[in-house]
Amino acid sequence: MIRWGVMVIAALLMAAPAQADDRIRVVASFSILGDFVRNVGGDRVEVTTLVGPNGDAHVYTPSPTDAKTIADAKLVVVNGLGLEGWLPRLVQSSGGKATIVTATKGVKAREADGDDDHDHAGHDKGGHDKSGHAHDHGKTDPHAWQSVRNAGIYVANIRDALIAADPGGADAYRANADAYLGKLDALDRDVRAAVAAIPAARRKVISTHEAFGYFADAYGVTFIAPQGVSTESEASARDVATIIRQIRKDKVPAVFLENISDPRLMQRISAETGAKIGGTLYSDSLTAENGDAPTYIDMVRHNIRTLTSALAH
């Protein structure tokens, strides 16, 4: 009997690593997507994020390790809408057979406001890639996650992709997604209530780059930014002068920093206009665990607290 018990324990110990290895390997292009995948996948997935906390997916430079990570993955979850200009070449070079999941599938994409002559990683300022070929950047705003209802579309796409990759976990993925979607519904209601408490005339924000267009459309806050939808764009002197005039004319109460951007431009605009620095908004990236925005829900709640604190009075 004792010998049989020892054999059972030994078998269980041998099986434990195998069970861990049975987890679905998922690569997310950046931190917000990684958080969505973890919430839906739970303990059935092993998630690796390429662009980590406080990283900027617009200008990310992949490493050889990233190609190996993708080669070993079953799913690669991407935002799409032109955010990850560096990703197709990375996937090709990896030689892997991962399924590419575009999390924004079904999202109504918005066009970027104004002239956006930004360039993506791997392209020079003239709009050519490193081989000299012209590249059409398009005008699509990729920051669809800034609308919480759009985040629900991301989650549904991730749920469906995980079910297709791992049918045995279908019930778990549906249950996890339903629970998380409930939290997103509550978050969306809270954001709407918070914005409603801000006087309409004060719902004007200056942020560093054009990352909050979907938030603006969803919740009725006007965002003005000297940079385009990519942080690689550079604000011209004319753009900055125009924004300074607009702040003075419209009495915009505050300007906001972003965690992924150099603060000096916003500090200069603040100094020249008298508009106060309202705080830091999280646009394209989460923080580390000990930061203000380690999860997507934390990020949105931090942003709305920061906005209402600066604009409500």
Side-chain angles (χ1 to χ4, degrees):
M1 179 67 72
I2 293 175
R3 185 180 177 189
W4 173 250
V6 170
M7 291 173 63
V8 169
I9 292 170
L12 289 172
L13 289 173
M14 290 176 64
Q19 289 172 353
D21 290 343
D22 285 345
R23 290 188 300 169
I24 303 299
R25 291 185 177 181
V26 183
V27 173
S29 60
F30 70 114
S31 57
I32 292 170
L33 293 185
D35 185 50
F36 291 154
V37 176
R38 289 185 187 95
N39 275 282
V40 179
D43 58 10
R44 295 186 69 91
V45 300
E46 178 186 328
V47 185
T48 303
T49 300
L50 297 180
V51 185
N54 293 309
D56 185 352
H58 292 288
V59 296
Y60 184 68
T61 301
S63 69
T65 304
D66 292 334
K68 175 69 166 61
T69 299
I70 286 180
D72 293 340
K74 189 159 188 177
L75 297 177
V76 177
V77 181
V78 304
N79 185 79
L81 302 181
L83 178 68
E84 307 101 334
W86 43 269
L87 192 67
R89 186 177 297 177
L90 176 64
V91 171
Q92 185 178 15
S93 67
S94 75
K97 297 181 179 179
T99 299
I100 308 299
V101 181
T102 302
T104 53
K105 180 183 177 183
V107 166
K108 183 180 179 182
R110 68 181 297 276
E111 297 301 298
D113 296 328
D115 292 332
D116 183 26
D117 299 324
H118 67 279
D119 63 289
H120 291 287
H123 297 84
D124 62 27
K125 296 293 181 184
H128 297 77
D129 65 23
K130 290 176 180 175
S131 63
H133 298 298
H135 176 70
D136 180 13
H137 301 297
K139 301 281 186 179
T140 303
D141 182 349
H143 306 87
W145 62 85
Q146 288 292 349
S147 157
V148 178
R149 289 185 179 174
N150 281 347
I153 296 175
Y154 281 58
V155 169
N157 286 328
I158 290 167
R159 175 200 63 206
D160 294 346
L162 286 171
I163 290 172
D166 176 26
D171 290 344
Y173 298 137
R174 290 192 186 99
N176 291 344
D178 287 347
Y180 189 63
L181 289 169
K183 294 178 182 178
L184 293 181
D185 286 343
L187 178 65
D188 183 68
R189 290 193 297 271
D190 289 348
V191 173
R192 293 178 189 281
V195 171
I198 301 172
R202 292 180 64 85
R203 295 176 196 166
K204 298 170 186 173
V205 173
I206 308 293
S207 62
T208 308
H209 86 293
E210 194 185 315
F212 295 96
Y214 291 91
F215 186 101
D217 292 349
Y219 304 113
V221 177
T222 299
F223 281 78
I224 305 155
Q227 289 180 288
V229 295
S230 171
T231 53
E232 279 197 309
S233 65
E234 294 182 5
S236 68
R238 183 185 67 180
D239 292 336
V240 173
T242 298
I243 283 179
I244 287 171
R245 286 196 301 271
Q246 187 165 358
I247 291 172
R248 290 170 174 159
K249 173 176 175 287
D250 294 343
K251 297 181 172 59
V252 176
V255 301
F256 293 86
L257 310 178
E258 290 177 32
N259 66 318
I260 62 166
S261 300
D262 188 325
R264 288 174 294 183
L265 176 60
M266 289 294 103
Q267 289 165 347
R268 174 186 156 200
I269 290 173
S270 172
E272 291 199 25
T273 61
K276 66 181 178 180
I277 300 282
T280 298
L281 299 177
Y282 294 92
S283 56
D284 295 34
S285 176
L286 304 179
T287 65
E289 282 296 321
N290 60 351
D292 292 325
T295 72
Y296 174 78
I297 289 176
D298 290 332
M299 179 190 83
V300 176
R301 291 199 181 282
H302 168 88
N303 285 349
I304 197 62
R305 281 195 307 269
T306 302
L307 290 170
T308 53
S309 175
L311 304 180
H313 304 291

